[in-house]
Amino acid sequence: NQFRDLLNENPIATLNGITYVTGNIFLKKGQTLIVNGALVTDGSLGIGNGFSFDTAPAVLTINNVSTSTPSGLLSKKNITIGGFNSQVNVNGLVYAGGTFAIKDGITQNVDSNFSGAIVAQDIEIVISWQPTDIELNQAYINAALGEPIFSQIIFINHWEEEY
């Protein structure tokens, strides 16, 4: 509740370092959150979800201030971007213990860019209009997780493209 109140009282907020939130985080349209470091929650994270008359997008920017300092967006449960108007730029590791979803459709406008890596149990990216850039940056991953001892194997169960 304190984090929700912080966003409601300060529609444009900047946080430095690692910020840990107990519970869910919902960034609504008209709110801007800049994190110079990492935003971590033991709940779910929703950005730009839910209808609002506000014309300004929900904006989340995660900056990496140093390659030796962790940065990113980490959730024990789900991360959902979209629904309505949102802008997300993450320089760091994106981790969702459940589902990571970007949903952009005819009535939505989702602008998203990721530099680092996206790790999740399920990844669902449904994009109709705006491009999404995802760039691997090993330095951001190493800063968040440490140096890997061996490489993990990734299995893709289903891949589908529609035109």
Side-chain angles (χ1 to χ4, degrees):
N1 290 338
Q2 291 174 338
F3 192 77
R4 183 188 66 222
D5 293 343
L6 171 78
L7 292 175
N8 287 335
E9 294 170 8
N10 303 290
I12 299 174
T14 301
L15 304 171
N16 296 307
I18 299 172
T19 302
Y20 181 83
V21 178
T22 302
N24 299 324
I25 299 173
F26 298 106
L27 190 62
K28 301 182 293 188
K29 285 176 59 176
Q31 295 177 329
T32 297
L33 179 61
I34 300 166
V35 179
N36 298 315
L39 180 62
V40 183
T41 177
D42 67 355
S44 292
L45 174 66
I47 304 164
N49 298 312
F51 180 76
S52 171
F53 288 109
D54 199 324
T55 58
V59 178
L60 175 65
T61 302
I62 306 287
N63 295 316
N64 181 282
V65 293
S66 167
T67 55
S68 62
T69 305
S71 67
L73 189 60
L74 294 88
S75 171
K76 186 175 180 181
K77 295 183 180 175
N78 303 316
I79 297 175
T80 306
I81 301 169
F84 290 92
N85 198 5
S86 60
Q87 294 176 359
V88 178
N89 294 299
V90 178
N91 291 304
L93 176 68
V94 176
Y95 173 84
T99 300
F100 172 81
I102 301 175
K103 298 186 179 186
D104 178 22
I106 294 172
T107 60
Q108 297 89 7
N109 183 20
V110 177
D111 182 14
S112 56
N113 297 294
F114 302 92
S115 178
I118 299 173
V119 179
Q121 184 174 351
D122 295 313
I123 297 176
E124 179 183 348
I125 300 176
V126 180
I127 301 170
S128 298
W129 304 106
Q130 299 292 331
T132 293
D133 294 326
I134 303 172
E135 176 186 0
L136 176 67
N137 187 319
Q138 191 65 45
Y140 293 164
I141 300 167
N142 292 347
L145 299 177
E147 294 287 332
I149 298 173
F150 58 90
S151 179
Q152 296 292 325
I153 298 173
I154 298 174
F155 294 102
I156 299 174
N157 293 328
H158 178 78
W159 181 274
E160 182 177 327
E161 292 184 23
E162 293 182 25
Y163 299 95

